[in-house]
Amino acid sequence: MFDQSPEIPRPRRREFIAGAATLASAMMAGLTPARAATPGISPGTSNVRPFGPVRRIAAGPLDIGYVETGPSSGPAVLLFHGWPYDIRAFAEVAPLLAAQGYRVIVPHLRGFGTTTFRSAETPRNGQQAALAADGIALMDALGIRQAVVAGFDWGARTADIMAVLWPERCKALVSVSGYLIGSQAGNAKPLPPKAELQWWYQFYFATERGRDGYAANTKAFNRLIWEQASPHWAFDDATYDASAASFVNPDHVAIVIHNYRWRLGLAEGEHQYDAAEARLAAGPPVTIPAITMEGDANGAPHPDPAAYRAKFAGPYEHRLIAGGIGHNLPQEAPLAFARAVLDVGRMGA
């Protein structure tokens, strides 16, 4: 089913929510975001607000950089960003959830920001199972037994995989663009021309020219992706620059290139993930409570909700977020995303 969730008017929807407790309480009381008092920002000023501090912890093969907010004794939620984004996608979502008593963990994915490999010998592997294993390793390192998992883009795929491979560790799921678990065999099948055109960067990355071009022009390349994926999002330079700092990571290019080449079967993964990938290739259903979301102006490749409805076997909702919302849904529509996390935590209870 579809829930047409209201959203902040466009000139204000990227504002940092000062007074998060008031807004979160209003949201939970059923007020629409437009009715909740939000302080304005004068035209021409930056929308960027502090988000941190960034902590680091050894987890599996990584030293993972992450932001934590909210009470340490609260129920946990892990928020996963995608490519080419970073933890700042959740800078407005996190305080809303913390104000409702959640322990909020927002990690940099491998190859982004402050997350680094602990050994120079570890393969710079971007395959889907590796990123999901990172999420479980982070939970183990932080002593978190169970958490709501939520994300978009690579982060949605990571949360989806955690939900199907480790359902006992995942209380509930919020996934932008739904069921994103794939396989090399599935990705080998050709798509109609218009669909293939949307994946232009995947084919660019398959070439050595593409690797060199991405390395030489990472910041400009990723800004183009932002603009194409969220065509109505009028983000300013400061907003983009704050996230672009996370692309200056020694392993960023290697992880991104490997991720897309692995999907096409052009690069091998690590054998330790072979069993997991075999399970994922079968398209296992999500059995935990789940909410999927989509912006009404998502310019990135994404499946139709009807195509993945059958993959969700537990309590389930789909929400279409109106107002010109693009691919980076948490940053463009933070109240709607936070509300989904709060709601899914109560589903099936």
Side-chain angles (χ1 to χ4, degrees):
M1 61 183 156
F2 292 83
D3 175 25
Q4 190 81 10
S5 301
E7 188 48 45
I8 297 175
R10 292 206 57 79
R12 292 190 173 188
R13 78 167 180 248
R14 297 187 343 268
E15 296 170 7
F16 183 82
I17 308 302
T22 300
L23 280 172
S25 297
M27 180 173 63
M28 294 307 297
L31 298 179
T32 67
R35 291 168 59 193
T38 307
I41 295 179
S42 301
T45 61
S46 173
N47 292 332
V48 177
R49 294 291 186 270
F51 186 52
V54 177
R55 309 179 186 186
R56 285 168 64 87
I57 192 167
L62 304 172
D63 283 322
I64 294 181
Y66 67 100
V67 168
E68 177 173 348
T69 186
S72 60
S73 60
V77 57
L78 271 66
L79 305 176
F80 297 103
H81 68 83
W83 172 84
Y85 305 95
D86 86 326
I87 59 174
R88 298 198 65 84
F90 300 103
E92 296 178 26
V93 172
L96 288 169
L97 298 177
Q100 290 296 310
Y102 272 90
R103 180 185 180 187
V104 185
I105 310 295
V106 190
H108 276 124
L109 299 184
R110 56 171 61 192
F112 291 79
T114 56
T115 292
T116 57
F117 285 85
R118 300 173 66 191
S119 170
E121 305 304 316
T122 303
R124 273 37 179 177
N125 177 7
Q127 75 181 103
Q128 59 180 2
L131 272 68
D134 293 344
I136 295 297
L138 178 60
M139 291 177 65
D140 290 343
L142 293 173
I144 296 173
R145 184 184 66 83
Q146 190 179 59
V148 174
V149 291
F152 72 105
D153 195 83
W154 288 19
R157 182 176 297 107
T158 297
D160 289 348
I161 293 171
M162 291 173 67
V164 300
L165 294 185
W166 296 279
E168 73 283 358
R169 304 295 300 273
C170 302
K171 179 181 179 182
L173 167 71
V174 174
S175 179
V176 176
S177 298
Y179 189 91
L180 297 180
I181 299 171
S183 68
Q184 290 180 320
N187 289 333
K189 299 176 182 178
L191 300 173
K194 285 186 178 180
E196 296 282 24
L197 180 62
Q198 290 186 299
W199 286 109
W200 65 271
Y201 52 87
Q202 180 172 245
F203 303 116
Y204 182 63
F205 290 161
T207 69
E208 286 307 296
R209 180 183 180 187
R211 175 196 286 271
D212 293 343
Y214 187 62
N217 303 290
T218 307
K219 186 175 181 180
F221 191 104
N222 289 346
R223 180 160 188 146
L224 175 62
I225 298 296
W226 277 40
E227 292 167 351
Q228 292 186 333
S230 299
H232 300 296
W233 181 26
F235 59 87
D236 60 17
D237 291 344
T239 298
Y240 177 71
D241 289 346
S243 289
S246 289
F247 312 145
V248 185
N249 176 294
D251 303 304
H252 179 77
V253 172
I255 292 297
V256 172
I257 297 301
H258 185 270
N259 177 283
Y260 287 102
R261 290 185 180 182
W262 180 88
R263 293 193 204 184
L264 294 177
L266 302 176
E268 293 186 357
E270 292 178 85
H271 291 306
Q272 68 192 75
Y273 301 114
D274 285 352
E277 294 293 357
R279 291 179 60 189
L280 297 173
V286 174
T287 58
I288 64 173
I291 291 176
T292 59
M293 309 181 75
E294 194 62 80
D296 66 343
N298 185 359
H302 61 279
D304 185 279
Y308 54 72
R309 173 61 186 92
K311 291 296 186 181
F312 293 88
Y316 175 74
E317 291 183 28
H318 178 78
R319 299 181 178 182
L320 177 65
I321 310 303
I325 305 303
H327 190 58
N328 186 359
L329 195 152
Q331 196 163 358
E332 298 179 63
L335 285 178
F337 193 89
R339 182 166 57 189
V341 173
L342 295 171
D343 290 347
V344 80
R346 293 191 293 268
M347 289 170 59

